[in-house]
Amino acid sequence: MTRQAEKPFLYVVVCAAGIAAGVDRLITAAQARDWAVGVIATPVAAGGFFDLEAAAAQTGRPVRSAWRTPADPRPFPPPDAVAVAPATFNTVNKWAAGIADTLALGTLCEAAGLGIPVAVLPCVADALAAHPAYLDSLARLRGMGVRFGEPYDGEARPDGSRPDFAWERALDLLGPLQAPSPNSRRPPGGRASRPPRSG
């Protein structure tokens, strides 16, 4: 099968926030827009924040949270784009600082250098969102070309309900799909890239 016959590939990076339980909605929306999807979870998120087996069944690929060994085959192709949803305070700050101590962070740290479009849906409480380090991290990542959706604090309404998390906004931020060339990895809106070492 040539690259022309394959669907563009989206990495969905899932962080440890309660809203992560709804990540199936992002996967469904991405597949409806003709993306193939692979899920990468932070280690904490993989510990019970969403249904890993359901996500694997939905995508047809295992959910990844740990580094592979050099002898292991790559379970995902290189990404054409990355969506980080939900993105937590911890992940945003470590990513902006260039810390790559998990597979999820390593993937995100490499994305900018590879010219891969990245969309982020933050899920951060207002008290944390006001922290100067977080504000600096947002500015740094935006300067790297990272696309941010509207903040979501998850606070309950007076009636006890919570606002919906705008999962599809990540796809809107990435823009329309562009089929990759069969001879190169050219992400939508980006330059040709090599496969991430962390993948």
Side-chain angles (χ1 to χ4, degrees):
M1 180 182 292
T2 67
R3 285 299 307 163
Q4 289 176 325
E6 295 177 14
K7 295 181 179 182
F9 203 88
L10 177 70
Y11 284 11
V12 172
V13 175
V14 184
C15 303
I19 199 69
V23 73
D24 62 297
R25 293 174 54 189
L26 176 55
I27 297 169
T28 297
Q31 291 171 333
R33 297 192 194 191
D34 214 31
W35 290 97
V37 180
V39 177
I40 297 174
T42 64
V44 178
F49 278 78
F50 69 104
D51 189 331
L52 274 65
E53 290 185 5
Q58 191 175 6
T59 62
R61 297 176 184 271
V63 174
R64 301 195 59 210
S65 62
W67 306 98
R68 65 182 181 87
T69 67
D72 291 334
R74 292 183 181 275
F76 297 170
D80 293 289
V82 180
V84 191
T88 58
F89 176 83
N90 192 49
T91 292
V92 168
N93 286 327
K94 292 177 80 172
W95 176 17
I99 297 170
D101 60 354
T102 66
L103 175 62
L105 283 164
T107 299
L108 294 175
C109 286
E110 287 190 331
L114 295 173
I116 298 169
V118 182
V120 181
L121 300 182
C123 182
V124 178
D126 287 345
L128 291 174
H131 195 288
Y134 181 73
L135 299 175
D136 289 347
S137 294
L138 293 179
R140 186 169 198 179
L141 292 171
R142 286 189 176 111
M144 293 162 52
V146 175
R147 308 160 191 191
F148 282 87
E150 295 74 19
Y152 178 89
D153 63 12
E155 292 295 323
R157 298 185 178 111
D159 64 1
S161 66
R162 296 182 187 276
D164 287 337
F165 190 68
W167 292 102
E168 291 192 36
R169 178 64 176 142
L171 305 175
D172 296 339
L173 289 165
L174 292 172
L177 295 180
Q178 296 177 14
S181 161
N183 298 316
S184 68
R185 297 298 301 178
R186 187 170 299 279
R191 63 179 181 271
S193 61
R194 59 175 173 76
R197 287 191 302 271
S198 57

